[in-house]
Amino acid sequence: MSDQNRLGVFKTYKLYVGGKFPRSESGRVYEVTDSKGQWLANAPQSSRKDARDAVVAARKAFGGWSGATAYNRGQVLYRVAEMLEGRKEQFVREVAASEGLSKSKAAAVVDAAIDRWVWYAGWTDKIGQISGGANPVAGPFFNLSTPEPTGVVAVLAPRKSSLLGLVSVIAPVIATGNTAVVVASADAPLPALSLGEVLATSDVPGGVVNILSGVTAEIAAPLAAHQDVNAIDLTGADAALAKELEIAAADNLKRVLRPRPAGADGASDSTDWSAAPGTHRLAAFLETKTVWHPTGALGASGSSY
């Protein structure tokens, strides 16, 4: 049979929740177009119920993921980079279409995203060295501070950087032992939804990363108000939405990572994602536990605060 007689097989994009690929609970989809307005695919439009389901999955996965050794988490993140490398051509096509880039520029973006995963994989067992340490005290005690993951983190992905920016906000959250509910860019969700397929075929346990697509404000509102969400990254929110979500987040004292000031085009996600990431995102969703212990081999059990 010639190729002219074949019907094209279009990719069906689904959410990624709890290690599975459900359609939106509401059954809704919306059209995703390229930079020229040409149709690319139908993406699921998540509902509030989908957001709540994702939080349940993230909370269920938190104990096992946060309890894994930092070295093991590093191995898992490196495996994600391996799987991305094997599917590079697919992501080059999706990034080129989503961001209006040439194939060569899209390939450079994908390469940078893979390298970013490797970079964060290397930090999993090192962040404790710079975020914790021994504290000098006036007394016969050891006083040690160590970082621990915050919990379930809602992440609003950058609106423009569909893969490199996405990886740059997800990887540091899970590298430090948190679990994530990610709201993909509403305009360019396809690389994020495909990333769910990569995560599912790597060693990342189901529920550690959950990916939703749809109207950002509609999904983010229940996440910001959810009592079982411990922190929120507002990178992909505009100034008005960020203020609204920050108020909702205060109800249970969520940690909030605020977006950068708006750029000239009014977009809050004006970060240069190609720049060296630094460690501030790794430290953004960590809690510090301080333990006091008497000096001497026969000292009593210590207490923590």
Side-chain angles (χ1 to χ4, degrees):
M1 181 182 292
S2 68
D3 290 342
Q4 291 181 343
N5 295 325
R6 285 196 71 238
L7 291 175
V9 179
F10 293 102
K11 182 176 175 61
T12 302
Y13 288 90
K14 296 182 181 179
L15 307 177
Y16 182 56
V17 177
K20 300 179 180 180
F21 296 94
R23 290 179 168 83
S24 172
E25 169 272 339
S26 66
R28 298 177 300 172
V29 298
Y30 70 102
E31 291 189 357
V32 178
T33 59
D34 63 16
S35 59
K36 298 178 181 179
Q38 298 295 312
W39 181 87
L40 292 174
N42 289 333
Q45 186 170 332
S46 302
S47 67
R48 290 171 176 261
K49 175 65 163 53
D50 294 317
R52 293 194 296 269
D53 289 346
V55 174
V56 170
R59 176 57 62 191
K60 184 177 179 180
F62 176 69
W65 184 244
S66 61
T69 66
Y71 177 74
N72 177 247
R73 287 199 297 269
Q75 290 179 310
V76 171
L77 263 68
Y78 187 84
R79 177 63 174 165
V80 175
E82 287 185 51
M83 301 302 290
L84 271 173
E85 184 80 27
R87 297 177 62 167
K88 185 186 297 186
E89 290 186 7
Q90 173 194 347
F91 280 93
V92 168
R93 291 194 302 270
E94 290 180 342
V95 169
S98 296
E99 301 182 24
L101 302 176
S102 66
K103 186 176 180 179
S104 61
K105 289 183 178 180
V109 168
V110 175
D111 285 342
I114 295 169
D115 293 346
R116 189 64 47 89
W117 271 113
V118 175
W119 193 86
Y120 279 115
W123 269 103
T124 56
D125 58 355
K126 300 175 183 66
I127 187 63
Q129 307 297 314
I130 64 172
S131 294
N135 309 309
V137 294
F141 301 100
F142 293 116
N143 184 257
L144 304 174
S145 294
T146 56
E148 293 188 344
T150 295
V152 176
V153 181
V155 179
L156 308 190
R159 289 180 289 171
K160 295 181 178 180
S161 185
S162 63
L163 184 63
L164 179 55
L166 176 77
V167 167
S168 298
V169 295
I170 295 177
V173 170
I174 65 172
T176 48
N178 299 287
T179 55
V181 177
V182 181
V183 181
S185 164
D187 295 331
L190 303 188
L193 297 176
S194 290
L195 180 63
E197 298 174 2
V198 169
L199 297 172
T201 53
S202 64
D203 299 326
V204 180
V208 170
V209 178
N210 305 275
I211 300 176
L212 307 174
S213 59
V215 180
T216 300
E218 183 177 339
I219 310 168
L223 292 175
H226 202 298
Q227 296 298 296
D228 208 23
V229 173
N230 304 106
I232 187 167
D233 180 346
L234 300 175
T235 295
D238 59 31
L241 179 59
K243 182 177 181 180
E244 176 186 331
L245 297 177
E246 195 166 359
I247 292 171
D251 196 44
N252 74 330
L253 304 179
K254 290 179 179 64
R255 282 186 174 272
V256 176
L257 184 60
R258 294 166 178 81
R260 293 171 61 88
D265 59 355
S268 61
D269 55 336
S270 55
T271 302
D272 177 9
W273 296 108
S274 64
T279 59
H280 72 286
R281 286 187 173 274
L282 284 164
F285 302 117
L286 287 173
E287 309 293 334
T288 300
K289 180 177 75 173
T290 299
V291 176
W292 292 72
H293 196 292
T295 57
L298 301 179
S301 298
S303 59
S304 61
Y305 298 89

